[in-house]
Amino acid sequence: DPYGMGTATEVKNQRLRENSAFFTYTYLKAIEKLRQKKFKKTEKGVPLEYFSWERVIVDEIHECLCTEKDNLQLDYFKEKNRRASRELLGISQKDTSGRPLVYRKSIFGLTGTPLLDNSDRVIELANLIGCTYIIGLASHWRKLERESRRDIFLQQFLEPKQSREIRKAIYAKCQEYLKVACCRNTTEKELEGIEKKEHVVVTNMTAEEKENYLKSQHGIDRDQRGLGVRPEDFDRSAGHDISIFLTQNSDLPSRGKALVDTCRQILVNDPTTKIIVFTDGRIGSGGHARKYLEDSELGCSWLETGESADAERDNQIIFFYQRPDVTEEDRRRPRILVLHFAHAAGLNLQSECYNLILFTPLYVGDGGVSGNPVDDASTEQQAIGRVYRPGQKQKEVNVYRLEVRGPNNEECLDGMLIRRNTDEKTLAETTNAATEDDEE
């Protein structure tokens, strides 16, 4: 099918685009008619869209911005919520006077998850916040919400690709916009006096674990397998499956023992504290961590994802880790909460938690050049930000990274990814804080 309608998923996606475009058109037309009406001062139930506001302040503004495909599956980016918030803020309406929420002076967006890791996200934020149009908007993905199947086909296959000079100009304009319009990292003053201490807990795999580790390198030639194999060595087009490798690396018994030992040591030093463990749910890492903790006497609580998620249950669990123990029942509950990186935004756990463990270093990709270190490091920093944030009562916040090495202390996947995700330049890019040297 030349219009890309060959699968059920593609048909569904096009139907969503058409429904979205139709709803937007109908909604904006209804607002035009609404604003032509006259209401008495005593009338009640007048819609928000009728008024003009002095200022509009949007909290958690990242909820209405579309993310990368992998992030669309995450629980905290609910599809219905995202669509509704985009419509209310009028993100597809260029004329601000025709948007549902009209502001007379200014609009502010607040977020700890800015999603500014590429030019598309910056362009989108500029459109929403200031109705500012940065170079490159003409080819922005947002057009797809209104375009037909034929338009999409022609744009994908017939339009010329952007040249390096155009991409360079777009990046420069995006950085210029961020410097002028965004106020970043203002929480540093509030974190003065609170030290973030990072610890790498090193453990060694057994000979048996090494054998399973090498077997899991699916698709790699046997004579090329080794402890030093990197994600870049996997080639999906050649039939390599890196997910088997990542899953096996997560489920190493030596990792589980290191997790249990680390938790025990933390609780020996402070029996009343509560510990947060972040895992990669895409590869079943959360289940692996839970298994090792439940097999010990420590136990744990966890949040579900996907269809099995229960919002009421999850809120009750989170509430326990946000407040001090009050009853004997509170004191008997597990001191450890296992989360997925999907929960790395929107949770405030700093009031009662100051110890956080990264069960595995994060890698999202299929091997080769598909991985994005900036995205992965950013997600890890968001996870750490659940406890290292304003309102933290302790003077020290401890972040533990588990690193599994070979039987003879050889560096393996963990060591490579930890160095990658903690690289200073990579971390600078996660906050869009390029130095003058970088810009030159």
Side-chain angles (χ1 to χ4, degrees):
D1 185 344
Y3 301 125
M5 299 294 289
T7 67
T9 300
E10 289 162 349
V11 172
K12 179 182 177 182
N13 290 342
Q14 181 60 33
R15 189 180 300 119
L16 287 175
R17 281 194 290 267
E18 292 169 351
N19 290 342
S20 177
F22 177 73
F23 179 86
T24 300
Y25 174 82
T26 305
Y27 182 43
L28 294 178
K29 284 296 181 183
I31 291 174
E32 286 182 18
K33 294 180 180 179
L34 171 68
R35 288 173 179 164
Q36 292 171 2
K37 293 185 177 183
K38 300 293 183 181
F39 292 94
K40 296 179 181 179
K41 292 184 179 180
T42 56
E43 286 195 54
K44 297 181 179 179
V46 181
L48 290 174
E49 294 90 337
Y50 177 76
F51 302 97
S52 61
W53 306 88
E54 193 74 4
R55 296 177 180 84
V56 174
I57 300 175
V58 186
D59 194 18
E60 303 293 354
I61 197 169
H62 60 268
E63 288 285 353
C64 67
L65 302 181
C66 184
T67 62
E68 301 298 335
K69 183 176 180 181
D70 286 335
N71 287 342
L72 293 179
Q73 311 302 322
L74 304 185
D75 285 355
Y76 54 88
F77 289 107
K78 299 295 185 184
E79 178 62 29
K80 291 182 179 179
N81 294 345
R82 201 170 63 251
R83 288 204 301 265
S85 59
R86 292 205 314 255
E87 295 295 345
L88 182 61
L89 293 172
I91 196 170
S92 60
Q93 173 62 277
K94 294 182 179 180
D95 181 6
T96 55
S97 65
R99 289 182 175 181
L101 295 182
V102 176
Y103 53 89
R104 290 193 290 266
K105 285 191 174 180
S106 57
I107 178 171
F108 295 89
L110 309 178
T111 178
T113 314
L115 298 172
L116 302 179
D117 50 283
N118 61 51
S119 58
D120 282 348
R121 302 289 80 77
V122 179
I123 290 170
E124 189 170 47
L125 184 70
N127 174 22
L128 177 61
I129 291 297
C131 200
T132 302
Y133 291 92
I134 298 174
I135 182 175
L137 184 68
S139 61
H140 189 247
W141 68 267
R142 180 67 63 193
K143 292 175 62 182
L144 298 183
E145 292 189 355
R146 291 172 173 267
E147 290 183 338
S148 67
R149 298 191 295 271
R150 179 178 179 277
D151 292 333
I152 295 170
F153 170 73
L154 293 175
Q155 179 177 319
Q156 182 71 25
F157 293 100
L158 301 183
E159 287 191 3
K161 301 298 182 182
Q162 290 178 344
S163 69
R164 181 180 300 175
E165 291 301 316
I166 292 178
R167 292 198 302 271
K168 184 177 179 181
I170 291 174
Y171 296 152
K173 291 295 182 181
C174 287
Q175 187 64 50
E176 182 181 339
Y177 172 80
L178 289 175
K179 284 186 174 181
V180 173
C182 295
C183 180
R184 299 165 290 162
N185 301 328
T186 57
T187 59
E188 290 182 357
K189 292 183 180 179
E190 298 180 61
L191 289 172
E192 286 182 0
I194 303 175
E195 182 182 3
K196 180 177 67 173
K197 287 191 171 182
E198 299 224 12
H199 313 266
V200 178
V201 179
V202 177
T203 186
N204 298 99
M205 64 177 72
T206 64
E208 182 180 357
E209 290 173 2
K210 175 183 175 181
E211 183 178 350
N212 292 330
Y213 183 85
L214 297 179
K215 287 181 179 178
S216 69
Q217 295 171 9
H218 185 272
I220 303 292
D221 291 339
R222 291 187 179 276
D223 58 346
Q224 298 296 321
R225 296 179 183 181
L227 297 176
V229 164
R230 305 168 300 165
E232 293 82 0
D233 297 328
F234 287 82
D235 183 359
R236 185 179 182 181
S237 64
H240 300 178
D241 188 352
I242 195 174
S243 65
I244 299 174
F245 179 48
L246 296 174
T247 301
Q248 179 62 40
N249 183 57
S250 167
D251 197 23
L252 294 171
S254 54
R255 185 186 305 281
K257 182 177 183 302
L259 172 64
V260 171
D261 291 346
T262 302
C263 291
R264 281 177 176 160
Q265 187 59 52
I266 292 171
L267 293 172
V268 166
N269 296 332
D270 185 357
T272 65
T273 192
K274 298 167 185 177
I275 304 169
I276 307 300
V277 179
F278 269 98
T279 65
D280 186 355
R282 299 173 310 104
I283 57 173
S285 188
H288 302 155
R290 282 165 46 191
K291 175 183 67 176
Y292 292 117
L293 290 169
E294 289 176 340
D295 287 345
S296 70
E297 75 281 3
L298 296 175
C300 66
S301 301
W302 64 89
L303 302 186
E304 299 287 0
T305 59
E307 295 181 357
S308 57
D310 183 333
E312 184 175 351
R313 169 190 174 275
D314 290 351
N315 288 336
Q316 291 175 352
I317 292 174
I318 292 169
F319 182 61
F320 169 71
Y321 289 89
Q322 292 175 326
R323 63 178 176 83
D325 296 337
V326 177
T327 65
E328 283 301 319
E329 182 183 0
D330 289 341
R331 297 182 182 92
R332 290 194 297 269
R333 289 184 177 181
R335 315 309 296 175
I336 305 165
L337 174 61
V338 176
L339 299 174
H340 295 164
F341 281 112
H343 305 118
L347 294 180
N348 296 316
L349 301 168
Q350 73 276 22
S351 59
E352 287 301 312
C353 308
Y354 64 95
N355 292 288
L356 182 141
I357 300 173
L358 299 181
F359 187 60
T360 59
L362 183 61
Y363 173 83
V364 178
D366 298 317
V369 297
S370 63
N372 189 325
V374 175
D375 284 355
D376 295 343
S378 178
T379 301
E380 286 190 351
Q381 292 305 307
Q382 288 171 14
I384 294 170
R386 299 312 96 211
V387 297
Y388 183 62
R389 62 191 299 112
Q392 176 58 250
K393 300 175 182 178
Q394 303 296 325
K395 297 298 182 183
E396 292 182 358
V397 171
N398 296 301
V399 178
Y400 299 88
R401 298 176 183 270
L402 304 186
E403 179 187 349
V404 178
R405 295 182 181 175
N408 298 314
N409 215 38
E410 304 96 329
E411 184 181 69
C412 300
L413 178 65
D414 285 359
M416 302 173 200
L417 293 180
I418 289 174
R419 283 191 288 105
R420 163 189 182 260
N421 293 353
T422 57
D423 177 75
E424 289 186 6
K425 288 187 177 180
T426 301
L427 292 177
E429 289 185 50
T430 67
T431 56
N432 296 281
T435 63
E436 293 298 324
D437 291 338
D438 292 335
E439 291 176 9
E440 292 175 1

